[in-house]
Amino acid sequence: MPASEKKSEPFFILYLNGPTYLEELRRLSLWVEKLLIPVYGEEVTSGAPWCPRWHQHTEAVAYFHGLWLAWQDKTGPKASLTGPSEWHRDHLGPTMTALRNPSGPFAGCKPGAHRAKERPYVEPNGPENFGP
């Protein structure tokens, strides 16, 4: 099939698995640990928690991946001159606020300590469970 007719595969990290997921997580980790946190990481407090093992929080991985994709789009070679400002306003602030919220994905985590969050239980909804 010619390249122009190929169906594009989903790229968002939650759609990836196996070695593809691990490689994307490795690349994301480099960006988070070498650029994002050294430049934009604020002090850890009870009002702004952080988890040293952020990559074990699927929600945080999803947020960071979206933020990183936006970073590439808004600061890359094809970005407009206002791209970085838009990234700060539209992506960085809302993402960091959500992640570091006291009830966000890092709730219960402390410097040097990870605590997995307990997720709500969801009943399976197979076809036999629908209807009266």
Side-chain angles (χ1 to χ4, degrees), residues 44-94:
V44 176
T45 66
S46 60
W50 173 255
C51 185
R53 292 193 281 176
W54 62 266
H55 55 277
Q56 292 181 3
H57 296 271
T58 304
E59 182 180 2
V61 170
Y63 266 110
F64 282 139
H65 195 252
L67 188 62
W68 182 45
L69 294 175
W71 167 268
Q72 294 173 69
D73 183 59
K74 296 292 185 183
T75 66
K78 296 181 181 179
S80 72
L81 294 176
T82 59
S85 176
E86 293 167 358
W87 181 81
H88 285 94
R89 180 194 67 210
D90 298 338
H91 303 282
L92 176 66

Side-chain angles (χ1 to χ4, degrees), residues 105-123:
F106 302 143
C109 296
K110 298 175 184 164
H114 163 75
R115 183 180 74 85
K117 283 183 77 171
E118 195 170 317
R119 295 288 176 190
Y121 173 74
V122 177
E123 277 194 32

